[in-house]
Amino acid sequence: MTSAASSRSPTLKEACVTEALAIIAEQGLEHLSLREVARRLGVSHGAPYRHFESRDRLLAAVVARCYDAFARHLDARPAGGDADADLRAMGVAYLDYALSEPLSYQLMFSTRLPPPTEHPEMMASADHAFGLLRSALARRSPSGSAIEIEADALFVWSALHGLAGTLRSDILAGLELAPETVAEAGAHMLRRIGAALGHPETREQNVAGQR
Amino acid sequence: MTSAASSRSPTLKEACVTEALAIIAEQGLEHLSLREVARRLGVSHGAPYRHFESRDRLLAAVVARCYDAFARHLDARPAGGDADADLRAMGVAYLDYALSEPLSYQLMFSTRLPPPTEHPEMMASADHAFGLLRSALARRSPSGSAIEIEADALFVWSALHGLAGTLRSDILAGLELAPETVAEAGAHMLRRIGAALGHPETREQNVAGQR
DNA sequence: GAGTAATGTAGACAGCGTCTACATCCCGAA
DNA sequence: TTCGGGATGTAGACGCTGTCTACATTACTC
């Protein structure tokens, strides 16, 4: 009966998420509070509570939005080419997002969230991204077993995820790496991943001639 | 004159760090508070403030302790064998620590900390670990340039770091991976890293016969 | 038009980090 | 031996937070 009743006032709910994102961007995650959101929106401090049962649920909504943007970014990678090229395009898109949207990336992967099982839309986005990777790998080597494909997908994802994390990390600053090492880290990582997976057809081309 | 004056009451300071770690282990990072620490130690809520100027500094002390334990764990990896074996031992030790001490690992790499430049002991530990990796890689292929060694060190570290993060992640639960994929992820990752780096002498041995 | 569910308001509560004023206590200098 | 000062712990206050409750208002349904 009240099927559409939950959208009685979509304005405030949406505005809360937007304002929360703004606060995080301006002052950092630690300064996010329901009261601050309410203050900036000119409503009472209890108002957001009608739409988010806790601070964490508001944060979850923000993160869900980040996942959406991330999935869209991956989907929008340059199409065309064989499976191999597509895989590489995905890697580039992944790192590109992590480095160009560090706030969004950090929110997705460095934030303690309420049990994700309660947020199916998040899981769906993550699953979607992982499915892209898995199918690209499967197309690349049709002879591989499902288990091997899956293991490689986990490997590729983890490696890219790890590099993104490392590059964003404060630790990196203390390591005194050569600037070019950092600048070329993405390309180097993709090259190494290519070498690790082996190249069914055009091996040398990728090992040497990338970028 | 007061060279040892800062150790007037080493008891409480040490006890605070220990108790903080216990609280985090029992109730999670979000339940850590100076007041709770004080309460469990039976002192007034202001007492810890004599030793830690803020909550974040206490947390930093806890994290520093984790870094120490981590560095010791890496140093304690089984010695012997050639550079190749040592590199693999380091990878095993890394993943082993990340998975057997998830709390410690999370504190090190998933916690927003005060500017690390103010905590040289932390940077030193991180630098030490990275140095281990770099020198192992250098010994493995003496002909490689310093830049290439460094880039590979970053690659290896990031890949391991990423896998550790992914395996600890809540997201993983929603991906419906085969259990064996998860169980073998570490070994698979180390195998792929080996393949990516190439094996100067005994290539096949590592690709096929590991574990 | 009446009733009802959704939405926003206002106030309260406990908990937190942090600051300040005050009480001890211990060590070294006189 | 005394005494003075720095380090340590205590007690209370402040403003902030998340969350709960009771109340007002609004808008849609019957």
Side-chain angles (χ1 to χ4, degrees):
Chain A
M1 110 182 25
T2 55
S3 66
S6 65
S7 62
R8 275 279 284 96
S9 163
T11 320
L12 185 55
K13 183 165 188 173
E14 266 302 295
C16 281
V17 176
T18 304
E19 206 62 35
L21 204 47
I23 292 174
I24 296 173
E26 291 169 22
Q27 318 183 37
L29 180 56
E30 64 277 13
H31 290 104
L32 173 65
S33 71
L34 284 181
R35 292 179 108 104
E36 176 71 8
V37 168
R39 216 172 289 131
R40 289 171 58 139
L41 291 175
V43 295
S44 76
H45 68 267
Y49 246 76
R50 297 290 155 183
H51 302 278
F52 305 96
E53 57 186 271
S54 74
R55 174 189 184 274
D56 283 347
R57 305 302 272 228
L58 168 58
L59 189 53
V62 172
V63 173
R65 184 172 289 194
C66 293
Y67 270 107
D68 282 350
F70 182 53
R72 258 182 282 117
H73 186 87
L74 286 188
D75 283 336
R77 71 191 180 279
D82 56 0
D84 217 61
D86 189 46
L87 190 61
R88 202 156 47 238
M90 244 164 75
V92 170
Y94 187 108
L95 288 176
D96 180 50
Y97 188 86
L99 298 180
S100 66
E101 301 284 349
L103 177 65
S104 174
Y105 193 84
Q106 178 202 341
L107 283 175
M108 284 190 291
F109 294 116
S110 305
T111 307
R112 266 287 164 265
L113 296 173
T117 49
E118 300 177 17
H119 296 273
E121 77 279 11
M122 263 186 229
M123 311 305 296
S125 287
D127 203 46
H128 173 71
F130 196 75
L132 287 179
L133 182 53
R134 194 174 355 209
S135 64
L137 281 168
R139 254 182 304 140
R140 223 189 57 108
S141 59
S143 60
S145 74
I147 288 293
E148 181 116 349
I149 297 290
E150 198 172 81
D152 276 335
L154 191 56
F155 158 63
V156 173
W157 190 18
S158 295
L160 291 175
H161 175 59
L163 181 63
T166 303
L167 290 179
R168 282 186 318 105
S169 162
D170 297 330
I171 301 283
L172 202 65
L175 248 39
E176 296 175 8
L177 299 176
E180 52 202 287
T181 301
V182 178
E184 290 297 315
H188 188 79
M189 168 70 83
L190 292 174
R191 224 176 296 137
R192 285 297 186 230
I193 289 176
L197 295 177
H199 291 271
E201 309 169 47
T202 57
R203 173 167 204 132
E204 320 78 337
Q205 175 191 339
N206 287 293
V207 171
Q210 179 163 319
R211 234 190 195 274
Chain B
M1 99 177 42
T2 53
S3 65
S6 66
S7 62
R8 272 279 283 97
S9 164
T11 320
L12 184 56
K13 184 165 188 173
E14 267 300 297
C16 281
V17 177
T18 305
E19 205 63 35
L21 204 48
I23 292 174
I24 296 172
E26 292 168 20
Q27 316 181 39
L29 179 58
E30 64 276 14
H31 289 103
L32 174 65
S33 73
L34 284 181
R35 293 178 109 104
E36 175 70 9
V37 168
R39 215 173 289 129
R40 289 170 58 140
L41 291 174
V43 295
S44 77
H45 68 267
Y49 246 76
R50 296 292 155 182
H51 303 277
F52 304 96
E53 57 186 271
S54 73
R55 175 188 184 273
D56 282 348
R57 306 302 272 228
L58 169 58
L59 190 52
V62 172
V63 173
R65 185 171 288 195
C66 293
Y67 270 107
D68 283 350
F70 182 53
R72 259 182 282 118
H73 186 85
L74 286 187
D75 284 335
R77 71 192 180 279
D82 55 0
D84 215 64
D86 189 47
L87 191 62
R88 202 156 47 239
M90 244 165 75
V92 170
Y94 187 107
L95 288 176
D96 180 49
Y97 188 86
L99 298 181
S100 67
E101 302 284 347
L103 177 64
S104 174
Y105 193 85
Q106 178 203 341
L107 283 175
M108 286 191 290
F109 295 116
S110 305
T111 307
R112 264 290 163 263
L113 296 173
T117 50
E118 299 178 19
H119 295 274
E121 75 278 12
M122 263 186 226
M123 311 304 296
S125 288
D127 203 45
H128 172 71
F130 196 74
L132 286 179
L133 182 54
R134 191 170 4 204
S135 65
L137 281 168
R139 255 183 303 138
R140 225 188 59 107
S141 60
S143 60
S145 74
I147 287 292
E148 179 115 351
I149 296 291
E150 197 172 82
D152 276 334
L154 191 56
F155 158 63
V156 172
W157 190 16
S158 294
L160 290 175
H161 176 58
L163 181 61
T166 303
L167 289 180
R168 283 186 316 101
S169 161
D170 297 329
I171 300 283
L172 202 65
L175 248 39
E176 296 176 5
L177 299 177
E180 53 202 290
T181 301
V182 177
E184 290 297 313
H188 188 79
M189 168 70 82
L190 292 174
R191 224 176 295 139
R192 285 297 187 228
I193 289 176
L197 295 178
H199 290 271
E201 311 169 44
T202 57
R203 173 169 205 129
E204 321 77 337
Q205 175 191 339
N206 287 293
V207 172
Q210 178 164 321
R211 234 190 194 277

